Amino acid sequence: MDGPGPVETSGRPAWSGDGLHYGGAWRSASGRQRLPVRSPATGDVLGSVPIADAADVTAAVAAAQEAAAPWARVDPLDRGRHLRNLGDLLRARMPELAAMESAITGRPIREMRAQMSRIPEWLDYFGGIAAGLEGEANRVRGGYLTYTAYEPYGVCALLTPWNHPILILVKKLAAAVAAGNTVVVKPSELAPGTPLMLAHWAAEAGLPAGVVNVVTGEAETGALLCAAQAVQHIDLTGGTETGRRVAAAAGARLVPCTLELGGKTPVLVFEDAAVEEAAAAAAFSAFVAAGQTCVSASRFIVARPLYEAFLAAFGRRARALRLGDPSDPATDMGPVIARASRERCLAHVRRAVEAGARLVCGGGRPDLPAPFDAGHFIEPTVLADVTCDMPVFREELFGPVAAVLPFDGEEEALRLANDTPFALGAAVWTSDVARAHRVAGAVRAGMVWVNDHHKNDPRSIWGGFGDSGYGKENGWDALRGYQRKRSVVVRTAPAFDDWFAGGKRYG
C-alpha cells in the first residue's frame, strides 16, 4: 500500500501511518496491535506504529532475501553511489530529520542539528571505501596460487536503540549495505519514527527495493527477526541483558553478531589538568543527551589536589544548564526517555546520599511550566564523595547523574577506573603527554579519549569488550565485519600429483 510521504499530513506525523516499510514500500501490518509513541518532554502521544508479528517479520525478511543476491552483484562503486545519493537526500532534509528526532527522543534541537549534520558522513565514507576492500594472493609451494575473496552475508538484522535512532542506524546500515548486504531493521519501540522514514527515503534515493527494510514492535518482534533462518548476521546496540539474549539466539543458529552494549565510563582527571576546561568537558560528557549515551561520563575520578576546585567548577556549570522545551534552541538539556528512567535515576541519587554521598547540585525534578511539568525531566546532578561500593558508581544509570570521588596516585586512579565489568569508553585529562599515553594504555576500555570526550567519526573504530559487548562499528573493521572471507586454492602445476600413485606433496 502507499504510505505517507516525508511531510506531515492532517496533523499526523509522516511515519505514523498504517504501515511497516519493506520491499521498497509502505505495507499494512497483518495485525491490528499498535504502539503509541510519546513525547518524553510532555507525555503527549505523537503517533503510533504497528507491532509486527511473525507474518510481518517473515515478509520483511523475504523481501530482503529476494534483494540480497542482486544487490551483492552490484559493483561496489555503484553501491557507493547509491549510498551517497541517500546522504545527499539526508543533507537536504536535515531540518526535518532533526525536528522529528528531537520530538521523539526529547533531545534539544540544537544538539540534534549538530548530530544530524554529521550523519551523511557515514554514508559517504562507507560508500567510498567499499570498492577498496581487496583480497590477497600468494604463490605457495607445490605449484599453487591461493587468493582470498570477500562476500556479503546476505540478510542482516539491525536492532537499534532509542537514544540515537538515526545515528546508530546509519552507522550500521552504511557498512552493511556498502558491503553488499540487505538489512531488516527493528528499531526501539520508544523511537521508531525516524528509522521508518529512513527506509522511505532510501527507496526515494534509488536503493533497490528490499535493500533497506524496517519492522516495528517490541521485544518479541526483535526475537522473531533474530530467529529468522535467512538472517545471517545480527547487529545490536542495546542493554547488556538484551545483548546476552541476542548472543544466545545467534549462537543457537551459529550466525555471527556484533554487540554494542552498556557502559560505565570513567573520566580520570589528574592534578595537572586545566580545571575549567575539564569541568566544561565534564558537563558536556555527563549531561549531553541527558546522560543517555553508552559512553556518557558517569564516574569522575579526580586527583585529590584538584578535587574541590573541580567540584566547584563542575557544579557551577551543571546549575547553569537550561532545561525545558526541546524545540527551543536555547534549551541545553531535555528529559530522560521515560518515567521509569527518571524514577530509577532519582532513587539511585537518594540511596547514594543516604549512604554518605554529598549532593553538590541537582538531585530532583526541575520546576517547569506546563506542558513540560508532565515530562520526564531530572536536574543535572553531581554527587561528591561517592565510594566505589555505591550502586551509583557501579551500575549504568542512563541519566544525568555524575558520581565524583578522589584518588591518590595513578595506580589508585586506574584501579578505580577498571573496577567494573564494562569496558566501552574512558577519558583521561592531563597535560603530561607521557602519562596520557601510559594511562590510555592501561585503562580498561575499547575507546579512550585524551583531553576530550565522545568524539566519533566514521574512520575511528567504536566498540568495547566485557559486559560492553564485542565487535566494532566504524572504519575498515566494520566493513570487513559485514563480509565473509574465503580462500581459493588453484593448482598451477601442469599435472595432478596423484597421492595413491606415489605422489608426495600434501597440504
Side-chain angles (χ1 to χ4, degrees):
M1 62 170 285
D2 291 332
V7 296
E8 296 213 5
T9 56
S10 305
R12 184 178 67 178
W15 46 267
S16 186
D18 295 330
L20 310 168
H21 201 289
Y22 59 86
W26 297 98
R27 310 283 181 175
S28 292
S30 64
R32 294 188 176 183
Q33 286 188 296
R34 300 187 68 81
L35 282 169
V37 180
R38 296 181 180 274
S39 162
T42 65
D44 294 340
V45 174
L46 301 174
S48 66
V49 294
I51 297 178
D53 62 15
D56 298 317
V57 171
T58 297
V61 171
Q65 189 174 21
E66 183 178 355
W71 180 245
R73 289 194 294 268
V74 173
D75 188 88
L77 290 171
D78 295 320
R79 292 202 298 264
R81 177 173 50 80
H82 281 293
L83 288 172
R84 288 189 293 275
N85 287 344
L86 178 57
D88 290 342
L89 192 151
L90 292 184
R91 286 187 182 91
R93 294 180 179 161
M94 203 67 66
E96 180 186 351
L97 187 60
M100 278 196 288
E101 196 104 314
S102 176
I104 294 170
T105 66
R107 292 181 62 177
I109 188 65
R110 182 165 62 94
E111 201 176 289
M112 294 317 306
R113 287 170 180 163
Q115 187 180 93
M116 294 298 127
S117 69
R118 297 289 314 277
I119 286 173
E121 295 176 24
W122 271 262
L123 296 160
D124 293 343
Y125 172 76
F126 283 107
I129 71 169
L133 189 58
E134 300 170 351
E136 306 88 21
N138 289 287
R139 292 191 179 277
V140 298
R141 68 171 63 189
Y144 292 93
L145 170 69
T146 73
Y147 65 90
T148 58
Y150 291 92
E151 65 181 18
Y153 282 105
V155 180
C156 299
L158 309 184
L159 310 178
T160 61
W162 50 262
N163 58 335
H164 303 287
I166 284 292
L167 173 63
I168 290 176
L169 171 54
V170 170
K171 285 169 68 176
K172 298 177 187 303
L173 180 149
V177 171
N181 300 283
T182 60
V183 299
V184 182
V185 182
K186 192 279 175 185
S188 166
E189 62 271 24
L190 297 176
T194 47
L196 279 169
M197 289 313 305
L198 184 69
H200 180 72
W201 290 343
E204 188 178 341
L207 271 81
V211 172
V212 179
N213 311 275
V214 177
V215 291
T216 54
E218 298 178 295
E220 178 60 24
T221 303
L224 289 167
L225 180 58
C226 290
Q229 288 300 307
V231 169
Q232 293 299 300
H233 188 284
I234 303 170
D235 192 334
L236 164 76
T237 295
T240 298
E241 289 311 309
T242 302
R244 295 185 200 281
R245 292 193 296 271
V246 167
R253 296 201 298 109
L254 297 179
V255 300
C257 63
T258 299
L259 304 173
E260 203 266 56
L261 307 177
K264 192 65 178 174
T265 298
V267 177
L268 290 76
V269 183
F270 288 89
E271 62 272 14
D272 55 0
V275 67
E276 288 296 333
E277 184 177 86
F284 168 78
S285 60
F287 304 132
V288 72
Q292 299 174 115
T293 78
C294 52
V295 293
S296 288
S298 55
R299 298 185 296 146
F300 290 87
I301 301 165
V302 183
R304 197 174 295 277
L306 201 67
Y307 185 65
E308 291 298 338
F310 174 83
L311 282 170
F314 189 11
R316 184 173 63 252
R317 288 181 178 274
R319 284 186 289 269
L321 296 178
R322 299 177 62 175
L323 280 65
D325 182 359
S327 68
D328 184 348
T331 295
D332 293 313
M333 196 181 90
V336 293
I337 193 66
R339 179 180 178 182
S341 300
R342 181 190 70 199
E343 296 309 311
R344 182 183 66 250
C345 289
L346 294 178
H348 272 284
V349 173
R350 286 193 299 270
R351 286 198 294 270
V353 172
E354 290 167 0
R358 174 172 30 129
L359 187 62
V360 176
C361 64
R365 296 179 60 185
D367 184 15
L368 295 173
F372 305 107
D373 58 342
H376 312 308
F377 289 88
I378 304 172
E379 293 171 326
T381 300
V382 178
L383 291 165
D385 307 339
V386 170
T387 58
C388 60
D389 59 342
M390 292 181 183
V392 75
F393 181 83
R394 307 198 66 79
E395 298 177 15
E396 185 178 37
L397 301 191
F398 237 58
V401 179
V404 189
L405 71 167
F407 72 82
D408 297 294
E410 186 177 307
E411 183 177 344
E412 184 185 16
L414 283 165
R415 179 180 62 79
L416 291 168
N418 292 339
D419 185 18
T420 175
F422 297 109
L424 190 58
V428 181
W429 285 84
T430 180
S431 59
D432 182 334
V433 66
R435 172 187 280 155
H437 286 287
R438 188 169 61 247
V439 174
V443 71
R444 188 171 179 270
M447 296 97 65
V448 182
W449 294 277
V450 176
N451 295 333
D452 215 315
H453 199 96
H454 204 167
K455 293 303 183 281
N456 193 3
D457 188 275
R459 293 162 289 192
S460 181
I461 62 166
W462 184 281
F465 48 93
D467 279 13
S468 294
Y470 48 80
K472 292 292 182 280
E473 295 179 338
N474 298 346
W476 285 97
D477 289 56
L479 188 69
R480 293 188 185 100
Y482 272 107
Q483 292 193 322
R484 300 185 183 98
K485 189 175 185 180
R486 300 198 301 157
S487 175
V488 180
V489 181
V490 180
R491 190 191 83 223
T492 58
F496 176 67
D497 192 359
D498 189 341
W499 172 260
F500 290 108
K504 296 180 179 179
R505 286 196 297 271
Y506 56 93

